[in-house]
Structures are given as C-alpha cells and as structure tokens.
C-alpha cells in the first residue's frame, strides 16, 4: 500500500514511453507497474506522466551589482515555475565584489527558506575571486552542495578576466564542480554601444546591434580555449548564435569537456520583436539578444543533435514599469534599460507545443531537456527521472490542451510576458515535488516553504568525450606541463 | 503473481540505474518495483539487469557472391550471440545479382526458422536494384517487416553505382526504411591492390595498405552527398577512421539524416595484428581494415559524443582452415583471403570491460549501445529497454567477473577468435528473450527454434536534426526541384 | 636598333606597373627602358602594355563524342581570341573511345596548322585510357609537348572511372604532366534528369536543376581524394560553387597539389538567365551550370585570394540554330541541347571591366590571371610575362574605352553572345604574338597560319605547398605503401 | 650613359627570372636590357640580382617598458641588415604609457638619423591610446608617413584591451593604415607562469611551456574577430602555430582583411633548443616561443600557399651577458629573462638556403618574401622590385656560396647567434640602396647616415578578398549598424 499512486497515465522518461502506474512512498518512487494501490490516488488517464521539470537558469530574488532587485522572489518565482511544470529549480546566488561567498550563500538561504514551494539549489556567481575565495570559500560552497560556479565575461561590475577565469576553472576541476559562463566580449559591446549612442541610435532595437554575434562567438571560443588549457568542464549558458553552437559542438567532438545551453527565447523570438513601437521593445531585451529566424533553425538542429544539454528560461524578471524596464524613464537609452525577460512558467509548455507537438523532438528528448540532463549535469542525483528510488518529482501533462498565453496566467510577479497571445498546446496540469502536490489541476495547493534546499553532488563526467578515468588520463600526472590541457 | 520475477538486481536502462525487481508476464515486462512475486524467480543479487543486447550487424548463414558460406548458421550464431548477452539479432539477407528480393527473404527464412535460439530480423542487402526490385519487391520486403536495406560501394559483385544508390534511397525514403552502406571507394582499392600485388607485396599486412583511409573518407562523403540530395536517412556502417566519423558528425549538425556505426574491432585492435607471423594475420583481416591507436582514440570520442548510434560486431565468421581463410592455400595473396572476423559473443563483454569498467562510458551509454539505440533506429519497437509493456529481453551481468577469452568459449562454429587471451571483466550470466531463459548461469537452456522472426516498423526520425514534421518540411512539396535535398 | 619598339606605355606584369618602352628583336623582348629605338614603332601612349593573354580552356574545331562540331575552327577561334587580347591559346585535342592518342593529336595538328593566327598548344582529353594509351601513347604525347591531360567524371561517352583516373594521375605524375578534371557526379545528374523529364520539367531552366551544387562538390572532393592518394597534381577546371572552391583551397593549405580554375560566366551570369522566354535560355546552358549571386561573391573572393590559378572562358561555341543549340528542334528537352557558350573574345575585357575598373583586383592580378599563371602552370616557359628573353606576346589596352558588347563584334563564327548589350570599359587595341602584330587598332592584320604550335614543358611544382624537392620528399621512396599519398 | 650598370646577372622579381643588365640613374632603375653602359659598373656574372631586402620586423634602439635597451642601434642594426641582403628596414618606434606619439617618433628620428646605412621607416607601437592619441596624434603620425600601428595583447606594460584595440583599428581604417598585432593571451601566460614558478619549474625550457599554443590561437581568433567587427585590415605578426596560420587563412578566404607574418626562427628552430645545458637555452627565448617540427612543416606549407605575406626576423637583440639575457643573474627564472633573439643578418640567407636551394620555394617567392610583399603591404611604393622607376635597392647573391654561420660574421652588436654553426648556401655579396653600394663583395662601403627616412603611403587593399571598391562596398554607408563588419 503506497502513500500515493498515480494511475492510468503514460509514463515518459529520457529512454521510454509506456503505460503504467507509479507508486510513491515516503516521497520516493517505490513501484512502477499496473494496478498499484495506494492510500491516495491521482488519476492520470489521458495524461503524460513526466519527470518534474528542473529549471536550471533563472534569476530569483537577485539584486544586480547596482542594487536593482528582480521582481520575483522565491515565493512567486517557485509558484510560477511549478505552474510551468517544474518540481525543482536552481537560481543564482550572486557574489558581488567585496562580498564573501559564505556570506552570499547565507543571504540567499535566508531568501529561499520558508518561501519556495518547490525544491531548490544555487549556482554561485563568482565576481570577486580573491585568494580567500579560491582557496577557502569555494571549497566550503562545494561542501554545502553548491557544485556549480558561474562567471561573466561581460558586465563591468561582474566580469572576471581570463586569468581569474583559469583560477576558477582550476578550483572547479579539483573539486568536481562545473563552471558556467556568460560568454560575450565586453570590449566589443562597449565599443558598439558608444558608437551607437554617439550616433543617436538609442532605441531598444539597437540593443541587438550593440551585442553582435561576433561578441558571442569570440567569447565562446575564448572560454573554450581557457577550459581546454585547464582541462576543466565548462558550460556555455544561453548560446544564441549558430557560430557559438558550432564551437561547442566541435569542441565536444575533439574531446573538450564543453557543454551548452540555449534558452526558450532564442528558439521562439527574434530581434524583430525589439522593433515594436515606443518602448515596447524593452520587454524583449535580454543578453545575448534575440537574433533571427536562420539562427532559430540552427539552434533547433543543435538542440536535436545534442549540442545543448540544457534548455532553460533565463527567467530575469523586470517589470515594465518604473521598478524595472522603465526605471530610467520612458526615454531611456537601450543601455540604461534592465536586461532580461520572464519565462519560468513557459519554458516547458513552449518546448512541448513547438517541439513535441510539431514533431521536432521526441518525448524522450523533452524529458531529457526538461529534467534528466540538468539533473545529471548539476548533480541532482535523486531527481530528473521516473525510476525506483528517485524523488517523486513528477509532472502530469495534458498534451492536447490548447491555451492562449497571458501575463496574468503566469502566477509570477510580472506585468507582462513576451509570449502574450501565443497559442500553446500541451500544458502541465498537476505537479509534485517529493510526492507532494504543488499544483493540482491548475490550482496551487502547496504552501510557501514546502520546498527544500538540495545539496548537489560533484559532477560526473564519465562517458563524456573529454573525460578519462584516472588510470587512462595522461593529464593526471602532467608534471612540468602544469596546465592539464597543455599536456599534448 | 507474475510468471517470472527477477529480484534484487540493479536495473539499467539508457536513462536510469536503480535497484528493483522485474515482474514478467506473458513474455512482457509487467511490473517494476520491490518485493514483486512470481511463480518463478531469478535471483539477480549482485547482478546488473540490462536490456538484452541487439546485435545489428552480423553475417549468419550467408553465402558470398562467389558461393562461400559463413561458418555460422542461425543455430550456432544465435547461441554465440546469446552467450554474449544478446536477446535478438538482425543478420543480413543478401540478394545477389539475378536473385529476386522475395526469393532472397524466403531463402533466409528457411535458414533461420527452427534454428535460432533468439529473436531475429533481417537487413536486406540490395545488389541488383532492377526496376522490379525498386517498384515491387522492396515495398513487399518492407511490408514483411524488413525495413532496412544495405548497399555496397565496393566489392565487384555487390557494388551499386551512385545512380542506383539514389534510386534505393528514394524508395527507402518513401516507405520509411533506413538505408545502410558499406562505404569504401572501389576504384582506389582495386588500384592499390594491383600495385601491391605487382610489387610482390601480398602478405596479409598489405590488406590494410590496400584499403587506405582515403578510400573510406571519400566514399563516406559521397554517400552523405547522395543522401542529402535524396533527403533520405542513411547509416554509414562500420566507420573505421576519424575522417569518416567527422563527416558523419558534421552532417548531423548541418541537418542531414546521417547515422553512424562502429564496431568492436576498430576500438580494440590495430593493423599491427595483421603483421603476425605467417598467415596468422589473416585472422585479423576485415574491411574496412584495422587502423591504429590514434584512430581508436578518435572513435572512442565519437562513440561517447553520440556520433555512432550503433555499436556492432560485424561478425563475419570464416574459419582459419581450408573452408575459410585458407581456402586459397597457405600462400594466398591478401586479396584472395576471405574478409571478416568473428565477434558476436564478445561485442558486449569487450565494451563493458573496456568501456564501463575503465570509466570511458556510463552504464546508460552501455544500455543504449547494447540495445536501445538499435531498437529505435531499426524499428524494433517492443525491444531494447526495460519498461512496462516491452518484451522481456533481459540480460543479467556480473560486472566483476574476470575471464580470459578463448575461442572454445565462444559457442560459435569458429576455430579462432581475434581476442584470444584477452582478460575481460564483466560478463553476462543469464539471458532471456521474451521472458524465456536462453542462457542461464553460463549454460545453454534454450532449444533451437525458440527464437521468433520480428517484423520491424518503419523508422522514426522524429527529433533527429534533419527531420521535420510534414507541416514544417519545405521539401514536402518540392515542386520542380525534384530532389528533396536540392530544395535550397 | 630593335626590330620594333613599343613606346610610351605603362607596362604591367604580375609584379610591377611602370612606364617604359619595350624593345623587341627576333620576336623576343630584348630591352626595357626609356628612349629605346627601333626600325618600327608602336605608340603606346595612354595604353597599358600587358602580357598577351593565354586562353587555356576553350573548345576549337572539336567534335563531341556523338559527332557534333563546334562552330569555331582554329581560324575563327584564334581571331576572336586575338581581338579579346590573347596571343596564345590551348584548346583541347579530344580522344574519343576507340581512338589512339597519337591519332588524335595528328588530327588536331591538321586542323590547327595553317589556320591559327596566334600560337597554340593542346590539352589532351583522355577518354579511353587503355594499357597502350597509359604506357606508350601518353608518354609520346608528353614528348611532343602536350603536358596536360584532361578527364571527365561525367558525360556517358567521355567519363572515366575512379580507377582509370588513378592510372592517368600516376602516368602524369611520372612524367611531370598536369591532370585536369571536369568534376561533376554523373549518377546524380542522370538521376535528377530522369526525375525532371518524367515530371515534364524540360525547359532550359531545368538544366541548372539537373546539375545540383552537390554534384560538383561531391566530385571535387572525390577528385582531390584520388589526387592525394596518387600524390599527383590536379587542376579542377571551371569550379562553379563555393563548396568546390573551399575544397580546393583547403586541400592546398593541407599540402595537396590541387589547383583551381573558374570561368567568366560563373562570375558574371546567373541561372536566372536560363529562365528567358522560349528557348532563349538555351544560350546560357553550360556545365556546370550558372548559379546565383551569392556564388558570384564567393568565387570573386577565391579569385582574389589565389584559390584559382587560372581564369578561362570555356569557350564552347554552338550556334543558336539547327547546327547547334536547336539541333533537336525548338521543343527539345534541356538534356537534348548542346552544352556550352562562347566567350573567348570577352574573357579579358569582362575581367578588366568588372575586376580592375571596379577595384576588385589589381593590374598585377589581372596580368597573372590573363597570362602569367597559365604560362607557369602549363609549361609555356617563354610566354606569359614582359621580361627580357620572353616571347614578345603583348597586348595593348585602352583602359578607358567603353563599348557595348554585340555578337557581331566577336569576330567568331557565332550568332550570339551571352553578354549581348553589356557595357564594358577597358579593351585591348593591339595584340602581338612573338613580336608580330595580330590585331592593330581594332583591325585584323595577321594571316591565318601565322601562329605556331608550342611544345610545352613539364610542369614545375616548386614552391607549391604539396611539392617537395626529391631530397625532402618522404614519398619518393615509399616502399610498400605503393600509393605515394598513403605514405603517412 | 647610366650612372651605374649592373651587368651580366640573372635578374629576379616576384614575377620573372631573366638575364639582363640594369641601368641606374639618379638612384633609380632607368633601364633593363642587354649591353647597357654606365660610368660605373658592377659585374654580376654568376650572380642573382634581386630586389634589396626589406626587413619589416625588427627592434632597433628600442627600450622596453622597464627601460632595458636593445644591443643594436641604427648603426649596427642597419649594417647587419645590409650584410644580410637588406636595402631597407622598418623597426618599431615604441610609445610607452605616458608618452605622446609625436614625442615618440621624434625620439626615434633622433636615434636613426645620421646612424642608419640603409633606408628606414617606423611601425608605431601604440601602448597608450588616449583620446588625444586617437584623434590627434595617430593622424599626425600617418601624415609623416608612419602608416602602420602595432599593438600588443600581452605584456603587462604594453597590452591594450579589446575596446582600445577596436578604437585603434577604427582610426587605422579611416586613414588607410595597417594595424599589426602581437597575439597571445595575456591571462593564459600569467596563469601558466605562476603555476610553473610555484612548482619550481624555472629553467629556460619552461618559457615555451608558459606560452602554450592555445595562447596564440585564442588571441589570433580574438584579434581577427575584432578586425572583422571594425572591417579593418590587420596583420598578425610572428604566427608560430598551425592553428594560428589556419585562422589567418580561413579568415582570408571568408573575406576578412587579415594578413599574416611568420619569422625565420619558427621555420628553423624548435623548443628543443631551449633545453640546452645551463642558461644556454636563454639564447633561444622569444615570444611566441619556438615550437616543434610538425609546426615547422605546417608553417612552410602556409608560407608556400600565401597565408603569410611577410617573412621577418623579429630581430630583438639582447646579449648573452649581464646587459641582456643575464641581467638578472645566471640563476634567473625564465620569466626574468629578456625575450627575443637576433637574426636580422640571417633572415634571407636562411630562407634562400633552406627555401630556394632545397626546392621549397621558387626564386619568385623568395623575391616576394624578401621585399615585394612588404613593400606593397607597408606602402613602400618605390621599393621592393626591379622595374623601371623604382629605387635602385638591389642585392646581388651568390647562390652557390656555402658558409658556416658564426656570431662574429653578423656585423651586429651581439655576442651570439642562435644559428651558430649552421651551414648555409647562398649569400648576398653586394647590396645597394638607391643605387649606392652599402656592402660590396662582403665589405662595408657605406657610411653611417647614408640611409634616409622613407615616408610610407596608405595601404592599398585593392584585390584583397575583403576589400571592395567604395561603390561596391555595402559597408560604406552602414547606417545604424555602426560597426562595418556587423553590416550583415
């Protein structure tokens, strides 16, 4: 007799699709079969039963280096994520210059604990890699289960230089952490921005011009080069160009431990959206910026071919009012407008509708991109699939329901969505975290604070092209070469 | 109460690893859980419980164009396969010139039925694509579940020309069949062979010289070009060079529907083995030939990165006696010696030992390469994974057992193995097909004829880079371009 | 006191541009300086004084395999060439199946001698590489100064297979001859043509469809692979696609002895010209076919960067009447219409007008592409530049003259030009061969038969990436590898 | 009657080789012919008569950012250059931080004037691109004939950041100057150096380890990306890796205005030389460092194929004593030892001996790499070839003389040469600048101060892949794109 049984659904994992019941006990998946019985039942007839989504790139309760705060906190952010089919998320804990890492993590703990309705972890943004941070605090962060570090190659107050990047990669390699990078060339953006502003080209559409594709491809190449030198694993987040994707793909084939991520907006929107009248374009500003339809095609191909292990929202919620996009007034120049757009609740419905329902990806790929890949890559060892012993993080989907997207339906703290008016087919109806209902039939049934912090494991690179078991690794004892990647 | 329960094992699929029991009823997997009960039980304590292997490239009871017959028939071949962890295999049914396709398939049916201990299907070799074959017989073959066609670009009596290749690709595309190709440049091999023989270079080692890497890379490029033009799916079998692998990988990233396979011998042996004294090198002759250690490294990388969907044995058994390798006497020239080597029983143990146990691949990759990928690619819709509703094709493995390879242990009809004396850790102990034991604890417990023919489904390209759903496909109505791949 | 002095002009070579007089004695350039004196004078004030052009790809007095004859013979062809700035040309001598090579060359000698107004040589088309041809006749051809052999990968009655190609490359390598290849995939073209014709798509525009870019890129890749295997020099003629050009360029950088040629029509026309009303499109049919404007841009870049050593007309004159394009009637299908277009008189004026006058190339590049590169590549050791001791093959150009192109002005035996109505700036005014005026101020002043046959030298590959001096060449004694290109 | 006649030699230019006399009047080449007469004669029997070399990368009378001075001044440096076959050189004028550009050029004028025996110009090193420098001083430098600017991506006191790099490229583009760059990743080098030193790996051999190939390829890619964005011409100096060379080559083929240079030491030496006993390895330290023999092969191929327009010495003379290499004592760590090696007198003899005499390059390529290419690229419009009207900068070479290299024979102010003991065949015997003998039959016959400063012209990009005439250039009016290279 299980605590809860989900009956009559079609179970989907990264490997299989099959009819079956799921028995849940103590928050774990305990049985898969037919005719299971439990004290409580969820009827999944006509539903797909999927691993609960893991949103691995989102900005929640995060202030920028200059003090502005995202409009979503852990309460509203986690609720919107749950309505979008997610059982878990991994926002950023952002170290700013002058802050310690432990201090940073404690601060974010205070923001998340008691607020989140789903489970969570943190990626640590490292903006100030002092000697103390490198030798003492990053290992401590790793010990408390923060096993991924993010760095920026652009943004004046966040960016690190190439040598600092190598130092962080080195620490990450030693501990088994994954480094993530926002890869755009800072100098190119600054130079372009100055020229545009000097010429009076200040409307939102020039945001895209100021962040040329070359700025991404250059930085991606540099980041990969640094990771090769350090022989360290590296994830390029929000890849937005074919050139960037190809660099990731080529590096993998050549045996570098490079991973890629892309985001919903790059598949579904273009820079034409920045051209809307007045300041409307500000709603579509993010970095890297939206590109064009040829780029969309290329990114789909790479998503299909496995170049991107992770597919995210990069939810960065700034309202279209004076607290957010319009903080510098309705005449603000593009470089005075907060970057980012919301989407934590739409990542999966959009991928399902445009991906699965239009035949671009299989249900297996959807499960992998929803949850399984992120779970493996980020060390969420008890999440991300439907198998015995795993956390009962589960999402029921109605693959046929069609809804029109509205901002109000997002359950976040935003006043707009860039996907307003889109017709989307395929929606999550019920979402569980550790066997507890969070959303049921479209209603929130969880209480804030119901989520738990998840300490993540070291990343496991087994089977990845660039990885070798210690006994096979010529770089293990690299002697005088000092840089593992320089061993050859 | 299940017919059979496998208890206490560690279940492995392409997505998951977990402890659990498997309940089997009517030859199907009916339940996954803990504490399952059945009329019969297999204790899987300390065992990995994996999808039964699918050997998708092997030559069984097949005569060559000049009449020589492989030493293994469906009885001995299937037994050796089962001892090697396989629940199913897909040998070739070879049309020779002048033969009809239906005639060919009937002939192979007569050879397999009543003989095989495991389930089987056929890939159809098409060597004579007459108008009748293209318009009538291939569709009939497809209807009886033969949904993959293989062609040769080399071998005088088997090879087709580029135009015939396009015709076959076109028929395959229309029906949803997969075309497979042995890609080597015939002219290069003939030219090299003549020069070598004229110069008196006739020992086995010159076999490798006569099949240069350029012969493979040229032909792979040509085959991919033809598939692009026809917008058809194509699998390059037994890729043996880094150049060939890169062409496959690049084509995938660019959106062509290209798949790759490599084989055990290319990962584990080198052409140095051809250099053994006397005619011993003949045991290591296959086409394409063995290469070098740098090639091995590159092929491992591509196996890890997903360039190769299928990993096979290319079991082509010719005894080291006058019925096989020595048919033209002990002084035969390299081009008078039968090509091919046995390995159907060692494909998976070698991959486990060198792959999983040495940390090169994960258990998930092993399951995918054992069975899941081949099942999907070749339309074996009820095989290849451990999930409710699937055929109970299951292999139990002892991951820690170490054995030394001998020819006698292969249970085939061969008198040698190229891997004689290798120390291999990780062996299958018990293998089931549709819930019936074939091998149990190292003993054959099945009767010849216990296997069944499996009619395979059309291939499903959903989610593959080059595939588009009909409504998204600009090539669907390609009008005057005539060649779908020329649409742009 | 020179025989002739050209005074007051601006002399241009592949290296220099300078003001100077040229003194000519005994048909050779004897002095360069100022104030030179001679018994005869040409005033070159306001003229560029360039090396006389060498047209290295043209079909003159050549019958096709099925018997049709080009409309130009050595008289009309050479006259048109001279009016276009050429002092020398190298048409094809075409061996057809069943013909001997010596027989072929004797036949062409009888056609050229006494007819040509400019000097000439032959490229030998090899369509029937019998053992006798390979071992006896090609060496004889080489001895009489025919040091370049051309092969076809398409056209049913001309094409050779890959093994024959290797045999010819081998003979060429041994003697120091250059092999040239028309690289298109025969099977692709046949398959496409059948599908088009079956579907009723028979107008001239479908000619371009029937020869897809893939047919060229595949064949170029194959030809380069064969040349690599044989370690032989190879020139890809009339490259018409960016893909083909990139293959040539990449092969060069990797050290293969590959050369490329493109032709005027691929830089200046597009397949839109095939779409003209009625049968007008037939005038623009050539193989490979015209492509698009993006291709033009790419070919210009490769011309600038040095990928193409030779720039030619591929003059293949078939009149727009029942002797040529309309031989199969006004309703003929595209595959029943003779391929080729005239242009021997316009190659250089078009290149000057669009290249030099529009700033795309320098005068030095123009001189190189006019004459110097072809002279070096084809062993015309006394032609192709303005230097002391060279043949006084010289063209005076008025760089500022603008004329509208008409068919009548071509001085050939054609009734149309594909460039009718083009406005072209920069025209040759006076042309000399070995110090004798052929055309002077726009009038023909030479007599038929004034030209001489030029025996050409073996090609000199010194300084070319793939070439090594014998003492540096690891392939020189390649032992058992047999194929030089397989040495590594 | 010419002032001087060079008789009986074999004249070589980038296009031609021919027997002829040269008549010189007023320091210019006035006639080419046979039997010329003059008031003075140089007998060139058995000599090659080549354009006098132009050494375009050398450090003369230059102090480092920390004050150290090269051991050669304009007197000794120019004498050594002349003995090595050069008629002209273009050392650097180095702006250090805090210095003005005009101040810098004035300083170098004071060092060169009255000292140099051959003609000279300057490349301006820009280390401090203030607003004043960008808007006022660089244009002034350009006006005085300094039309090339060099920047560093590494060296703490010299390096500029990416934005400054873009600013300099922009100024250069506007004026028609060429930007040159030392491309190595500063952060990689610093990180490697620290790890090596921390580990006690401090001997000269670790210098090569501290500058990995990845540091060059990353920086070359970044520099090319910046040049693409600015649509500006850029020369990558001293390319030392196959990866860097390929990036240059690929960029050219794609239409970027990228040029490459390599230097003698990368073709002739390897990092094994750094391994000599004691501190001897310090003699072979330069940046980028020496690599391996596979790199040499690749660089030769690129030299042959035209990837490198310029071939230089990078003469950076620091004596092997306490004024130079050993300034920090005999136990100095590799990062405390001055970088650079001498070679201004050996660049051309080495290239002749290993290039021309061993059949790797032609005499034409030698002339181009000696002088003609540099003359064109750097705007030395009256130098670099043998043609009427050009400066009579001429070098006579004995192609057959064999000499063993010694430091003493270098005529510089150095106490070692890295080529000590090499046997070199082919030496310059007499060198002229503007018709005046500098070296004659191995004796210095010029007086210090005999050389003149040469104001150079704007660079001419006509005919280069990335260049378009204004009327063809879509970037000319690039409107809102602002960055020309972002126009597409």
């Amino acid at each position: 007799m299980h605590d809860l049984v989900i009956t009559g659904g079609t179970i989907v994992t990264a490997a299989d699709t099959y009819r079956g019941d799921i028995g849940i006990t103590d928050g774990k998946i305990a049985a898969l079969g037919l005719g299971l019985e439990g004290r409580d039942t969820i009827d999944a007839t006509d539903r797909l039963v999927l691993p609960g989504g893991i949103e691995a790139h989102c900005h929640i309760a995060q202030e920028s280096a200059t003090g502005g705060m995202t409009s979503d906190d852990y309460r509203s952010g986690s609720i919107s994520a749950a309505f979008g089919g997610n059982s878990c998320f991994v926002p950023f804990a952002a170290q700013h210059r002058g802050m310690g890492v432990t201090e940073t993590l404690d601060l974010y703990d205070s923001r998340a604990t008691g607020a989140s309705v789903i489970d969570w972890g943190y990626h640590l943004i490292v903006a100030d890699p002092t000697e103390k941070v490198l030798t003492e605090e990053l290992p401590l962060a790793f010990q408390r289960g923060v096993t991924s570090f993010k760095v920026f190659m652009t943004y004046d107050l966040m960016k690190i230089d190439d040598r600092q990047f190598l130092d962080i990669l080195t620490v990450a390699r030693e501990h088994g952490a994954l480094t993530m990078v926002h890869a755009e060339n800072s100098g190119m953006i600054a130079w372009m921005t100055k020229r545009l502003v000097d010429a009076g080209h200040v409307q939102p559409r020039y945001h895209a011009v100021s962040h040329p594709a070359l700025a991404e491809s250059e930085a991606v190449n540099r980041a990969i080069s640094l990771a090769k030198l350090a022989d360290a694993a590296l994830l390029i987040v929000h890849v937005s160009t074919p050139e960037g994707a190809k660099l990731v793909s080529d590096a993998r084939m050549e045996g570098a431990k490079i991973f890629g991520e892309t985001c919903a907006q790059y598949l579904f929107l273009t820079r034409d959206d920045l051209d809307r009248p007045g300041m409307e374009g500000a709603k579509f500003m993010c970095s890297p910026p939206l590109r064009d339809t040829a780029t969309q095609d290329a990114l789909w191909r790479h998503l299909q071919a496995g170049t991107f292990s992770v597919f995210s929202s990069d939810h960065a919620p700034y309202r279209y009012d004076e607290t957010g996009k319009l903080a510098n007034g309705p005449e603000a120049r593009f470089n005075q407008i907060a970057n980012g757009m919301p989407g934590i609740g739409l990542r999966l419905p959009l991928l399902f509708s445009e991906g699965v329902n239009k035949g671009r990806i299989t249900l297996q790929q959807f499960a992998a991109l929803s949850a399984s890949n992120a779970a493996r890559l980020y060390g969420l060892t008890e999440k991300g699939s439907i198998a015995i012993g795993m956390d009962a993080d589960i999402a029921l989907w109605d693959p046929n329901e069609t809804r029109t997207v509205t901002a109000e339906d997002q359950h976040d703290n935003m006043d707009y969505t860039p996907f307003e008016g889109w017709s989307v087919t395929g929606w999550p109806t019920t979402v569980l975290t550790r066997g507890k209902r969070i959303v049921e039939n479209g209603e929130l049934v969880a209480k804030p604070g119901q989520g738990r912090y998840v300490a993540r494991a070291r990343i496991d690179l087994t089977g990845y092209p660039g990885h070798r078991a210690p006994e096979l690794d010529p770089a293990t004892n690299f002697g005088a070469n000092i840089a593992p990647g320089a061993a050859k």
Side-chain angles (χ1 to χ4, degrees), chain A residues 12-13 25 27 50 127 147 170 192-193 198 303 308 323 331 342 344 370 390 418 420:
Chain A
V12 176
T13 72
T25 297
L50 283 149
T147 60
T170 306
M192 286 288 283
T193 298
D198 284 354
L303 195 75
F308 300 125
T323 70
E331 303 289 322
I344 199 166
S370 293
M390 301 292 279
E420 186 79 28

Side-chain angles (χ1 to χ4, degrees), chain A residues 39-325:
Chain A
R39 276 177 293 276
D40 187 4
T41 300
I42 293 175
D43 180 7
T45 306
D46 296 333
R47 294 285 178 271
L48 298 176
V49 182
L50 283 149
I54 299 172
E55 167 63 68
H57 190 151
C58 54
H59 301 272
I60 304 294
Q62 179 185 339
E63 60 266 274
S64 71
T66 51
M69 180 64 90
T70 59
S71 72
D72 279 312
D73 56 20
Y74 273 79
R75 188 179 173 286
S76 63
S78 66
I79 289 171
S80 186
F83 274 98
N86 297 289
S87 298
C88 179
F89 65 168
V90 188
F92 294 99
Q95 180 206 27
H96 292 296
R97 289 186 191 147
M99 288 174 72
V101 163
T102 300
E103 171 192 359
T104 300
L105 293 174
D106 290 346
L107 175 64
Y108 277 83
D109 273 350
S110 73
R111 291 171 178 174
T113 306
S116 184
V117 301
I118 59 175
D119 289 357
W120 80 92
Y122 312 112
H123 305 296
L124 175 71
I125 292 174
V126 183
D128 198 1
T130 61
E131 191 66 21
K132 184 180 177 193
V133 164
L134 293 169
T135 58
E136 296 174 26
E137 292 208 285
L138 290 182
L140 284 173
F142 189 83
Q143 282 171 31
R144 66 199 264 179
V146 177
T147 60
S148 46
F149 310 147
K150 182 181 178 191
V151 299
F152 287 85
M153 296 171 84
T154 189
Y155 294 129
D156 282 351
L157 296 173
M158 303 295 280
K159 73 181 177 193
I160 55 164
D161 66 26
D162 293 349
R163 182 176 175 174
Q164 292 172 317
F165 198 159
L166 284 164
D167 285 335
I168 293 167
L169 286 165
T170 306
V171 172
R173 183 180 192 268
E174 280 164 13
H175 290 275
L178 180 67
T179 305
M180 308 158 72
V181 63
H182 177 139
E184 287 189 289
N185 182 295
S186 176
M188 286 188 186
I189 295 167
W191 180 80
M192 286 288 283
T193 298
K194 180 172 190 320
R195 285 168 73 90
L196 286 163
V197 170
D198 284 354
H201 298 309
V202 297
Q203 296 80 2
R205 70 174 292 249
Y206 293 101
H207 171 68
V209 180
S210 72
H211 288 243
L214 273 168
E216 177 172 298
S217 57
E218 186 288 313
V220 169
N221 183 74
R222 182 152 40 104
I224 290 173
S225 297
L226 295 167
K228 282 181 177 173
L229 189 66
D231 192 29
L234 178 67
L235 170 69
I236 316 290
V237 300
H238 50 49
V239 175
S240 71
T241 58
E243 296 82 1
K246 183 170 190 331
L247 287 166
V248 169
S249 171
D250 285 353
R252 292 166 65 101
M253 293 299 162
E254 291 161 9
K257 301 169 204 170
I258 306 300
F259 299 85
E261 175 203 71
T262 195
C263 300
Q265 50 270 42
Y266 304 113
L267 293 185
F268 301 124
L269 303 173
T270 71
R271 65 181 162 223
D272 289 348
D273 288 306
L274 289 166
D275 246 341
R276 303 204 179 185
M279 288 297 274
E280 281 280 310
K283 295 180 179 175
F284 298 88
M285 282 176 57
C286 56
S287 290
L290 304 176
R291 311 288 183 182
D292 57 17
T293 54
T295 297
Q296 292 178 334
D297 287 347
L299 295 181
W300 271 112
R301 277 205 305 279
H302 280 283
L303 195 75
Q304 293 166 321
T307 302
F308 300 125
S309 302
V310 196
F311 172 77
S312 304
S313 74
D314 195 4
H315 182 75
Y318 300 102
R319 295 170 61 95
Y320 189 62
D321 62 22
E322 72 289 345
T323 70
K325 295 285 184 184

